[in-house]
Amino acid sequence: MSTLEQYRDWAASRSAPRISDWLREISEPDWSATVNHPLFDALAEGRLAGDDFAAYMVQDYGFVDPFTALIGHAIGHAPSMADRVVLGQFMGMLTSDENSTFQRTFETFGVAGQAPDYLPETQAFQRLLRDTGQSGGYAELLAALVVTEWVYLEWALRVTRVDGLHPLMGEWIDLHDNPAFQEFVAWLRQRLDEQAAQLDAAAFAAMAECFRDTVAKERAFHDAVWARFE
């Protein structure tokens, strides 16, 4: 049975099936393990030391360059100006507000200007982002974007931050827990649902594999970062 047929079987028993919901479901247990990762609880509860937070942010910043390139590829592949506007606005936020949070974190915790020593899991995720950007179709690019942004939205909505949390840690949570970001993730999911519905069996399978692989890379990355702090 093809991947597309598997989705259709799943959808047949649901009143309002969405491809993005099915993709999340077939990505278990990696999806839930990432959203519920102890790293995020430690961050929100003020149990993550400043140096550890900085080390985490250094690793996460390793994705900004290939991720920005991936968004650029998505803008180029987008079928309409409307899509390009939304993706371009997100690119602007990523290269301004989010980049500022990274840079101020590095300066505050004394790691600015240091050459990063990326974990193997960070490097593997970087390769996935670059490869997807360079060779993926629009649906695959959207699949990778949906994973990276939806996972971060879900963990940010889930955690409960303590009073007195370091401002930069709170700022990192706020970047992924705000109405504008929620609207962007909803838009990404909708566009993935629409684009994926138009794919033939081979392209649908490639899109689903990209989604699952991105989720697996997210989990491996956070597991590897957390293992350094335990």
Side-chain angles (χ1 to χ4, degrees):
M1 181 182 292
S2 71
T3 305
L4 181 55
E5 290 171 331
Q6 291 171 21
Y7 165 69
R8 287 172 177 166
D9 279 354
W10 176 88
S13 62
R14 281 148 178 90
S15 59
R18 295 190 63 176
I19 293 173
S20 54
D21 283 333
W22 174 76
L23 290 167
R24 178 183 58 184
E25 200 170 296
I26 65 170
S27 298
E28 294 291 3
D30 291 337
W31 181 276
S32 292
T34 307
V35 170
N36 297 294
H37 206 283
L39 172 62
F40 303 131
D41 294 295
L43 167 64
E45 293 166 9
R47 294 185 287 106
L48 198 63
D51 289 347
D52 289 341
F53 176 63
Y56 158 55
M57 292 290 275
V58 166
Q59 294 295 317
D60 203 284
Y61 193 64
F63 304 128
V64 172
D65 181 73
F67 188 64
T68 303
L70 185 142
I71 298 170
H73 286 293
I75 291 171
H77 282 77
S80 69
M81 184 61 186
D83 280 23
R84 292 190 176 97
V85 168
V86 177
L87 291 167
Q89 289 171 339
F90 180 66
M91 172 87 84
M93 186 284 296
L94 180 66
T95 57
S96 58
D97 294 349
E98 188 160 327
N99 188 62
S100 173
T101 301
F102 278 113
Q103 298 306 323
R104 285 181 286 109
T105 296
F106 300 155
E107 292 169 3
T108 298
F109 294 102
V111 297
Q114 295 182 12
D117 181 17
Y118 292 131
L119 296 166
E121 292 79 6
T122 303
Q123 296 175 46
F125 205 163
Q126 289 171 327
R127 286 192 295 272
L128 171 67
L129 295 172
R130 293 191 184 102
D131 291 347
T132 303
Q134 292 169 4
S135 62
Y138 191 50
E140 288 177 70
L141 297 169
L142 287 173
L145 286 168
V146 166
V147 172
T148 57
E149 304 317 298
W150 195 7
V151 161
Y152 272 59
L153 172 63
E154 287 212 341
W155 75 250
L157 290 172
R158 180 187 64 78
V159 299
T160 301
R161 73 187 76 184
V162 297
D163 292 335
L165 188 65
H166 192 286
L168 286 166
M169 297 181 188
E171 191 172 311
W172 182 243
I173 298 171
D174 289 339
L175 281 169
H176 304 102
D177 177 13
N178 62 78
F181 189 62
Q182 291 182 44
E183 290 177 9
F184 177 62
V185 172
W187 179 87
L188 281 175
R189 289 187 59 199
Q190 182 64 35
R191 292 301 290 128
L192 177 59
D193 290 340
E194 293 166 349
Q195 290 294 306
Q198 303 173 28
L199 300 175
D200 61 24
F204 190 91
M207 176 279 303
E209 179 59 27
C210 180
F211 191 101
R212 282 184 300 220
D213 195 15
T214 306
V215 176
K217 292 293 192 298
E218 284 279 11
R219 179 181 184 177
F221 165 72
H222 288 96
D223 283 350
V225 170
W226 182 241
R228 300 182 69 179
F229 305 153
E230 290 185 295

CSV table of all heavy atoms in Angstrom, one decimal, residues 178-230:
chain,number,residue,atom,x,y,z
A,178,ASN,N,2.9,33.4,20.8
A,178,ASN,CA,2.2,34.7,20.6
A,178,ASN,C,1.2,34.6,19.5
A,178,ASN,O,1.4,33.7,18.7
A,178,ASN,CB,3.3,35.8,20.4
A,178,ASN,CG,4.1,35.6,19.1
A,178,ASN,OD1,3.6,35.8,18.0
A,178,ASN,ND2,5.3,35.1,19.2
A,179,PRO,N,0.2,35.5,19.4
A,179,PRO,CA,-0.8,35.3,18.4
A,179,PRO,C,-0.3,35.3,17.0
A,179,PRO,O,-0.8,34.5,16.1
A,179,PRO,CB,-1.7,36.5,18.7
A,179,PRO,CG,-1.5,36.8,20.1
A,179,PRO,CD,-0.1,36.5,20.4
A,180,ALA,N,0.7,36.1,16.7
A,180,ALA,CA,1.2,36.2,15.3
A,180,ALA,C,1.9,34.9,14.9
A,180,ALA,O,1.7,34.4,13.8
A,180,ALA,CB,2.2,37.3,15.2
A,181,PHE,N,2.6,34.3,15.8
A,181,PHE,CA,3.2,33.0,15.5
A,181,PHE,C,2.2,31.9,15.4
A,181,PHE,O,2.3,31.0,14.5
A,181,PHE,CB,4.3,32.6,16.6
A,181,PHE,CG,5.1,31.4,16.3
A,181,PHE,CD1,6.0,31.4,15.2
A,181,PHE,CD2,5.1,30.3,17.1
A,181,PHE,CE1,6.7,30.4,14.9
A,181,PHE,CE2,5.9,29.2,16.8
A,181,PHE,CZ,6.7,29.2,15.7
A,182,GLN,N,1.2,31.9,16.2
A,182,GLN,CA,0.1,30.9,16.1
A,182,GLN,C,-0.6,31.0,14.8
A,182,GLN,O,-0.9,30.0,14.1
A,182,GLN,CB,-0.9,31.1,17.3
A,182,GLN,CG,-0.4,30.8,18.6
A,182,GLN,CD,-1.4,31.0,19.7
A,182,GLN,OE1,-2.6,30.6,19.6
A,182,GLN,NE2,-1.0,31.5,20.8
A,183,GLU,N,-0.8,32.3,14.3
A,183,GLU,CA,-1.4,32.5,13.0
A,183,GLU,C,-0.5,31.9,11.9
A,183,GLU,O,-1.0,31.4,10.9
A,183,GLU,CB,-1.7,33.9,12.8
A,183,GLU,CG,-2.9,34.5,13.7
A,183,GLU,CD,-3.1,36.0,13.5
A,183,GLU,OE1,-2.5,36.6,12.5
A,183,GLU,OE2,-3.8,36.6,14.3
A,184,PHE,N,0.8,32.1,12.0
A,184,PHE,CA,1.7,31.7,11.0
A,184,PHE,C,1.7,30.2,10.9
A,184,PHE,O,1.7,29.6,9.8
A,184,PHE,CB,3.1,32.2,11.3
A,184,PHE,CG,4.1,31.7,10.3
A,184,PHE,CD1,4.0,32.1,8.9
A,184,PHE,CD2,5.2,30.9,10.7
A,184,PHE,CE1,5.0,31.6,8.0
A,184,PHE,CE2,6.1,30.5,9.8
A,184,PHE,CZ,6.0,30.8,8.4
A,185,VAL,N,1.7,29.5,12.1
A,185,VAL,CA,1.7,28.0,12.1
A,185,VAL,C,0.4,27.5,11.5
A,185,VAL,O,0.4,26.5,10.7
A,185,VAL,CB,1.9,27.5,13.5
A,185,VAL,CG1,1.7,26.0,13.5
A,185,VAL,CG2,3.3,27.9,14.0
A,186,ALA,N,-0.7,28.2,11.8
A,186,ALA,CA,-2.0,27.7,11.2
A,186,ALA,C,-2.0,27.9,9.7
A,186,ALA,O,-2.5,27.0,9.0
A,186,ALA,CB,-3.1,28.6,11.8
A,187,TRP,N,-1.4,29.0,9.2
A,187,TRP,CA,-1.3,29.2,7.8
A,187,TRP,C,-0.4,28.1,7.2
A,187,TRP,O,-0.7,27.6,6.1
A,187,TRP,CB,-0.7,30.6,7.5
A,187,TRP,CG,-0.5,30.9,6.1
A,187,TRP,CD1,-1.4,31.4,5.2
A,187,TRP,CD2,0.7,30.7,5.3
A,187,TRP,NE1,-0.9,31.5,3.9
A,187,TRP,CE2,0.4,31.1,4.0
A,187,TRP,CE3,2.0,30.2,5.6
A,187,TRP,CZ2,1.3,31.0,2.9
A,187,TRP,CZ3,2.9,30.1,4.5
A,187,TRP,CH2,2.6,30.5,3.3
A,188,LEU,N,0.8,27.8,7.8
A,188,LEU,CA,1.6,26.8,7.2
A,188,LEU,C,0.9,25.5,7.1
A,188,LEU,O,1.0,24.8,6.1
A,188,LEU,CB,2.9,26.6,8.1
A,188,LEU,CG,4.0,27.6,8.0
A,188,LEU,CD1,5.1,27.3,9.1
A,188,LEU,CD2,4.7,27.6,6.6
A,189,ARG,N,0.2,25.1,8.2
A,189,ARG,CA,-0.5,23.8,8.1
A,189,ARG,C,-1.6,23.8,7.0
A,189,ARG,O,-1.7,22.8,6.3
A,189,ARG,CB,-1.2,23.6,9.5
A,189,ARG,CG,-0.3,23.2,10.6
A,189,ARG,CD,-1.1,22.8,11.9
A,189,ARG,NE,-1.9,21.7,11.6
A,189,ARG,CZ,-3.0,21.3,12.3
A,189,ARG,NH1,-3.3,22.1,13.4
A,189,ARG,NH2,-3.7,20.3,12.0
A,190,GLN,N,-2.3,24.9,6.9
A,190,GLN,CA,-3.3,25.0,5.8
A,190,GLN,C,-2.7,24.8,4.5
A,190,GLN,O,-3.2,24.1,3.6
A,190,GLN,CB,-4.1,26.3,6.0
A,190,GLN,CG,-5.2,26.4,5.0
A,190,GLN,CD,-6.3,25.4,5.2
A,190,GLN,OE1,-6.6,25.0,6.3
A,190,GLN,NE2,-6.9,24.9,4.1
A,191,ARG,N,-1.6,25.5,4.2
A,191,ARG,CA,-1.0,25.5,2.9
A,191,ARG,C,-0.4,24.1,2.6
A,191,ARG,O,-0.4,23.6,1.5
A,191,ARG,CB,0.1,26.6,2.8
A,191,ARG,CG,-0.4,28.0,2.8
A,191,ARG,CD,-1.4,28.2,1.6
A,191,ARG,NE,-0.7,28.2,0.4
A,191,ARG,CZ,-1.0,27.5,-0.7
A,191,ARG,NH1,-2.1,26.6,-0.6
A,191,ARG,NH2,-0.4,27.6,-1.8
A,192,LEU,N,0.2,23.4,3.7
A,192,LEU,CA,0.7,22.1,3.5
A,192,LEU,C,-0.5,21.2,3.2
A,192,LEU,O,-0.4,20.3,2.2
A,192,LEU,CB,1.4,21.6,4.7
A,192,LEU,CG,1.9,20.1,4.7
A,192,LEU,CD1,2.8,19.9,3.5
A,192,LEU,CD2,2.5,19.7,6.0
A,193,ASP,N,-1.6,21.3,3.9
A,193,ASP,CA,-2.8,20.4,3.6
A,193,ASP,C,-3.2,20.6,2.1
A,193,ASP,O,-3.5,19.6,1.4
A,193,ASP,CB,-4.0,20.8,4.5
A,193,ASP,CG,-3.8,20.4,6.0
A,193,ASP,OD1,-2.9,19.6,6.2
A,193,ASP,OD2,-4.4,21.0,6.8
A,194,GLU,N,-3.2,21.9,1.7
A,194,GLU,CA,-3.7,22.1,0.3
A,194,GLU,C,-2.7,21.6,-0.7
A,194,GLU,O,-3.1,21.1,-1.7
A,194,GLU,CB,-3.9,23.6,0.2
A,194,GLU,CG,-5.1,24.2,1.0
A,194,GLU,CD,-5.1,25.7,1.1
A,194,GLU,OE1,-4.1,26.3,0.7
A,194,GLU,OE2,-6.1,26.2,1.7
A,195,GLN,N,-1.5,21.9,-0.5
A,195,GLN,CA,-0.5,21.5,-1.5
A,195,GLN,C,-0.3,20.0,-1.6
A,195,GLN,O,-0.2,19.4,-2.6
A,195,GLN,CB,0.9,22.1,-1.2
A,195,GLN,CG,0.9,23.6,-1.4
A,195,GLN,CD,0.8,24.0,-2.9
A,195,GLN,OE1,1.5,23.5,-3.7
A,195,GLN,NE2,-0.2,24.9,-3.2
A,196,ALA,N,-0.3,19.3,-0.4
A,196,ALA,CA,-0.1,17.9,-0.4
A,196,ALA,C,-1.3,17.2,-1.0
A,196,ALA,O,-1.1,16.1,-1.6
A,196,ALA,CB,0.0,17.4,1.1
A,197,ALA,N,-2.5,17.7,-0.9
A,197,ALA,CA,-3.7,17.1,-1.6
A,197,ALA,C,-3.6,17.0,-3.1
A,197,ALA,O,-4.3,16.3,-3.7
A,197,ALA,CB,-4.9,17.9,-1.1
A,198,GLN,N,-2.6,17.8,-3.7
A,198,GLN,CA,-2.5,17.9,-5.1
A,198,GLN,C,-1.4,16.9,-5.6
A,198,GLN,O,-1.2,16.8,-6.8
A,198,GLN,CB,-2.2,19.3,-5.6
A,198,GLN,CG,-3.2,20.3,-5.1
A,198,GLN,CD,-2.8,21.7,-5.5
A,198,GLN,OE1,-2.0,22.0,-6.4
A,198,GLN,NE2,-3.3,22.7,-4.7
A,199,LEU,N,-0.7,16.3,-4.7
A,199,LEU,CA,0.5,15.5,-5.1
A,199,LEU,C,0.1,14.1,-5.6
A,199,LEU,O,-0.9,13.5,-5.2
A,199,LEU,CB,1.4,15.3,-3.9
A,199,LEU,CG,2.0,16.6,-3.3
A,199,LEU,CD1,2.8,16.3,-2.0
A,199,LEU,CD2,2.8,17.4,-4.3
A,200,ASP,N,1.0,13.6,-6.5
A,200,ASP,CA,0.8,12.2,-6.9
A,200,ASP,C,1.4,11.3,-5.9
A,200,ASP,O,2.0,11.8,-4.9
A,200,ASP,CB,1.4,12.0,-8.3
A,200,ASP,CG,2.9,12.2,-8.4
A,200,ASP,OD1,3.6,12.2,-7.3
A,200,ASP,OD2,3.4,12.5,-9.5
A,201,ALA,N,1.3,10.0,-6.0
A,201,ALA,CA,1.7,9.1,-5.0
A,201,ALA,C,3.2,9.2,-4.6
A,201,ALA,O,3.6,9.2,-3.4
A,201,ALA,CB,1.4,7.7,-5.4
A,202,ALA,N,4.0,9.4,-5.6
A,202,ALA,CA,5.5,9.5,-5.4
A,202,ALA,C,5.8,10.7,-4.6
A,202,ALA,O,6.6,10.7,-3.6
A,202,ALA,CB,6.3,9.4,-6.7
A,203,ALA,N,5.3,11.9,-5.0
A,203,ALA,CA,5.6,13.1,-4.4
A,203,ALA,C,5.0,13.2,-3.0
A,203,ALA,O,5.6,13.8,-2.1
A,203,ALA,CB,5.0,14.3,-5.2
A,204,PHE,N,3.8,12.6,-2.8
A,204,PHE,CA,3.2,12.5,-1.5
A,204,PHE,C,4.1,11.7,-0.5
A,204,PHE,O,4.3,12.1,0.6
A,204,PHE,CB,1.8,11.9,-1.6
A,204,PHE,CG,1.0,12.0,-0.3
A,204,PHE,CD1,0.1,13.1,-0.1
A,204,PHE,CD2,1.0,11.0,0.7
A,204,PHE,CE1,-0.6,13.2,1.0
A,204,PHE,CE2,0.3,11.1,1.8
A,204,PHE,CZ,-0.6,12.2,2.0
A,205,ALA,N,4.6,10.6,-1.0
A,205,ALA,CA,5.5,9.8,-0.1
A,205,ALA,C,6.7,10.6,0.2
A,205,ALA,O,7.2,10.5,1.4
A,205,ALA,CB,5.8,8.5,-0.9
A,206,ALA,N,7.3,11.3,-0.7
A,206,ALA,CA,8.5,12.1,-0.4
A,206,ALA,C,8.2,13.2,0.6
A,206,ALA,O,9.0,13.5,1.5
A,206,ALA,CB,9.0,12.7,-1.7
A,207,MET,N,7.0,13.8,0.5
A,207,MET,CA,6.6,14.9,1.4
A,207,MET,C,6.5,14.3,2.8
A,207,MET,O,6.9,14.8,3.8
A,207,MET,CB,5.3,15.5,0.9
A,207,MET,CG,4.7,16.6,1.9
A,207,MET,SD,3.7,15.9,3.2
A,207,MET,CE,2.5,14.9,2.3
A,208,ALA,N,5.8,13.1,2.9
A,208,ALA,CA,5.6,12.5,4.2
A,208,ALA,C,6.9,12.1,4.9
A,208,ALA,O,7.1,12.2,6.1
A,208,ALA,CB,4.7,11.3,4.1
A,209,GLU,N,7.8,11.6,4.1
A,209,GLU,CA,9.1,11.2,4.6
A,209,GLU,C,9.9,12.4,5.1
A,209,GLU,O,10.6,12.3,6.1
A,209,GLU,CB,9.9,10.4,3.5
A,209,GLU,CG,11.3,10.0,3.9
A,209,GLU,CD,11.3,9.0,5.1
A,209,GLU,OE1,10.2,8.3,5.3
A,209,GLU,OE2,12.2,9.0,5.9
A,210,CYS,N,9.8,13.5,4.4
A,210,CYS,CA,10.5,14.7,4.8
A,210,CYS,C,9.9,15.1,6.2
A,210,CYS,O,10.7,15.5,7.1
A,210,CYS,CB,10.3,15.8,3.8
A,210,CYS,SG,11.0,17.4,4.2
A,211,PHE,N,8.6,15.1,6.3
A,211,PHE,CA,8.0,15.4,7.6
A,211,PHE,C,8.5,14.6,8.7
A,211,PHE,O,8.9,15.0,9.8
A,211,PHE,CB,6.5,15.3,7.5
A,211,PHE,CG,5.7,15.9,8.6
A,211,PHE,CD1,5.1,17.2,8.5
A,211,PHE,CD2,5.5,15.2,9.8
A,211,PHE,CE1,4.3,17.7,9.6
A,211,PHE,CE2,4.8,15.8,10.9
A,211,PHE,CZ,4.2,17.0,10.7
A,212,ARG,N,8.4,13.2,8.5
A,212,ARG,CA,8.9,12.3,9.6
A,212,ARG,C,10.3,12.5,9.9
A,212,ARG,O,10.7,12.4,11.1
A,212,ARG,CB,8.6,10.9,9.1
A,212,ARG,CG,7.1,10.5,9.3
A,212,ARG,CD,6.9,9.0,8.9
A,212,ARG,NE,7.3,8.7,7.5
A,212,ARG,CZ,6.6,7.9,6.7
A,212,ARG,NH1,5.5,7.3,7.1
A,212,ARG,NH2,7.0,7.7,5.5
A,213,ASP,N,11.1,12.7,8.9
A,213,ASP,CA,12.6,12.8,9.1
A,213,ASP,C,12.9,14.1,9.9
A,213,ASP,O,13.8,14.1,10.7
A,213,ASP,CB,13.3,12.8,7.8
A,213,ASP,CG,14.8,12.6,7.9
A,213,ASP,OD1,15.3,12.1,9.0
A,213,ASP,OD2,15.5,12.8,6.9
A,214,THR,N,12.2,15.1,9.6
A,214,THR,CA,12.4,16.4,10.3
A,214,THR,C,12.0,16.2,11.8
A,214,THR,O,12.7,16.7,12.6
A,214,THR,CB,11.6,17.5,9.6
A,214,THR,OG1,11.9,17.6,8.2
A,214,THR,CG2,11.9,18.9,10.3
A,215,VAL,N,10.9,15.6,12.0
A,215,VAL,CA,10.5,15.3,13.4
A,215,VAL,C,11.6,14.5,14.1
A,215,VAL,O,12.0,14.8,15.3
A,215,VAL,CB,9.1,14.6,13.5
A,215,VAL,CG1,8.8,14.3,15.0
A,215,VAL,CG2,8.0,15.4,12.9
A,216,ALA,N,12.1,13.4,13.5
A,216,ALA,CA,13.1,12.6,14.1
A,216,ALA,C,14.4,13.4,14.4
A,216,ALA,O,15.0,13.2,15.4
A,216,ALA,CB,13.4,11.4,13.2
A,217,LYS,N,14.7,14.3,13.5
A,217,LYS,CA,15.9,15.1,13.7
A,217,LYS,C,15.7,16.1,14.8
A,217,LYS,O,16.6,16.4,15.6
A,217,LYS,CB,16.3,15.9,12.4
A,217,LYS,CG,16.7,15.0,11.2
A,217,LYS,CD,18.1,14.4,11.5
A,217,LYS,CE,18.7,13.8,10.2
A,217,LYS,NZ,17.9,12.7,9.7
A,218,GLU,N,14.5,16.6,15.0
A,218,GLU,CA,14.2,17.5,16.1
A,218,GLU,C,14.4,16.8,17.4
A,218,GLU,O,15.0,17.3,18.3
A,218,GLU,CB,12.7,18.0,16.0
A,218,GLU,CG,12.5,19.1,15.0
A,218,GLU,CD,12.9,20.5,15.5
A,218,GLU,OE1,13.5,20.6,16.5
A,218,GLU,OE2,12.5,21.5,14.8
A,219,ARG,N,13.9,15.6,17.5
A,219,ARG,CA,14.0,14.8,18.7
A,219,ARG,C,15.5,14.5,19.0
A,219,ARG,O,15.9,14.7,20.2
A,219,ARG,CB,13.2,13.5,18.7
A,219,ARG,CG,13.3,12.7,19.9
A,219,ARG,CD,12.5,11.4,19.9
A,219,ARG,NE,12.6,10.7,21.2
A,219,ARG,CZ,12.0,9.6,21.4
A,219,ARG,NH1,11.3,9.0,20.5
A,219,ARG,NH2,12.2,9.0,22.6
A,220,ALA,N,16.2,14.1,18.0
A,220,ALA,CA,17.6,13.7,18.2
A,220,ALA,C,18.4,14.9,18.7
A,220,ALA,O,19.3,14.8,19.5
A,220,ALA,CB,18.2,13.1,16.9
A,221,PHE,N,18.1,16.1,18.1
A,221,PHE,CA,18.8,17.3,18.5
A,221,PHE,C,18.6,17.6,19.9
A,221,PHE,O,19.5,17.9,20.7
A,221,PHE,CB,18.4,18.4,17.6
A,221,PHE,CG,18.8,19.8,18.1
A,221,PHE,CD1,20.1,20.2,18.1
A,221,PHE,CD2,17.8,20.7,18.6
A,221,PHE,CE1,20.5,21.5,18.6
A,221,PHE,CE2,18.2,21.9,19.1
A,221,PHE,CZ,19.5,22.3,19.1
A,222,HIS,N,17.3,17.7,20.3
A,222,HIS,CA,17.0,18.0,21.7
A,222,HIS,C,17.5,17.0,22.7
A,222,HIS,O,18.0,17.3,23.8
A,222,HIS,CB,15.5,18.3,21.9
A,222,HIS,CG,15.1,19.6,21.2
A,222,HIS,ND1,14.6,19.6,19.9
A,222,HIS,CD2,15.2,20.9,21.6
A,222,HIS,CE1,14.3,20.9,19.6
A,222,HIS,NE2,14.7,21.7,20.6
A,223,ASP,N,17.4,15.7,22.3
A,223,ASP,CA,18.0,14.7,23.2
A,223,ASP,C,19.5,14.9,23.4
A,223,ASP,O,20.0,14.7,24.5
A,223,ASP,CB,17.7,13.3,22.6
A,223,ASP,CG,16.3,12.8,22.8
A,223,ASP,OD1,15.6,13.4,23.5
A,223,ASP,OD2,16.0,11.8,22.2
A,224,ALA,N,20.2,15.2,22.3
A,224,ALA,CA,21.6,15.4,22.4
A,224,ALA,C,22.0,16.6,23.3
A,224,ALA,O,23.0,16.5,24.1
A,224,ALA,CB,22.2,15.5,21.0
A,225,VAL,N,21.3,17.7,23.1
A,225,VAL,CA,21.6,18.9,23.9
A,225,VAL,C,21.3,18.6,25.4
A,225,VAL,O,22.1,18.9,26.2
A,225,VAL,CB,20.7,20.1,23.4
A,225,VAL,CG1,20.8,21.2,24.4
A,225,VAL,CG2,21.1,20.5,22.0
A,226,TRP,N,20.2,18.0,25.6
A,226,TRP,CA,19.8,17.7,27.0
A,226,TRP,C,20.8,16.8,27.7
A,226,TRP,O,21.1,16.9,28.9
A,226,TRP,CB,18.4,17.1,27.1
A,226,TRP,CG,17.8,16.8,28.4
A,226,TRP,CD1,17.5,15.6,28.9
A,226,TRP,CD2,17.6,17.7,29.5
A,226,TRP,NE1,17.0,15.7,30.2
A,226,TRP,CE2,17.1,17.0,30.6
A,226,TRP,CE3,17.8,19.1,29.6
A,226,TRP,CZ2,16.7,17.6,31.8
A,226,TRP,CZ3,17.5,19.7,30.8
A,226,TRP,CH2,16.9,19.0,31.9
A,227,ALA,N,21.3,15.8,27.0
A,227,ALA,CA,22.2,14.8,27.5
A,227,ALA,C,23.5,15.5,28.0
A,227,ALA,O,24.2,15.0,29.0
A,227,ALA,CB,22.6,13.8,26.5
A,228,ARG,N,23.8,16.7,27.5
A,228,ARG,CA,25.0,17.4,27.9
A,228,ARG,C,24.8,18.1,29.3
A,228,ARG,O,25.8,18.4,30.0
A,228,ARG,CB,25.4,18.4,26.9
A,228,ARG,CG,25.8,17.9,25.5
A,228,ARG,CD,26.2,18.9,24.6
A,228,ARG,NE,27.5,19.5,24.9
A,228,ARG,CZ,28.1,20.5,24.2
A,228,ARG,NH1,27.5,21.0,23.2
A,228,ARG,NH2,29.3,20.9,24.6
A,229,PHE,N,23.5,18.2,29.7
A,229,PHE,CA,23.2,19.0,30.9
A,229,PHE,C,22.9,18.1,32.1
A,229,PHE,O,22.8,18.5,33.2
A,229,PHE,CB,22.0,19.9,30.7
A,229,PHE,CG,22.2,20.9,29.5
A,229,PHE,CD1,21.1,21.4,28.8
A,229,PHE,CD2,23.5,21.3,29.1
A,229,PHE,CE1,21.2,22.2,27.8
A,229,PHE,CE2,23.6,22.2,28.1
A,229,PHE,CZ,22.5,22.7,27.4
A,230,GLU,N,22.6,16.8,31.8
A,230,GLU,CA,22.2,15.9,32.8
A,230,GLU,C,23.4,15.5,33.7
A,230,GLU,O,24.5,15.4,33.3
A,230,GLU,CB,21.5,14.6,32.2
A,230,GLU,CG,20.2,14.9,31.6
A,230,GLU,CD,19.5,13.7,31.1
A,230,GLU,OE1,20.0,13.1,30.2
A,230,GLU,OE2,18.5,13.3,31.7
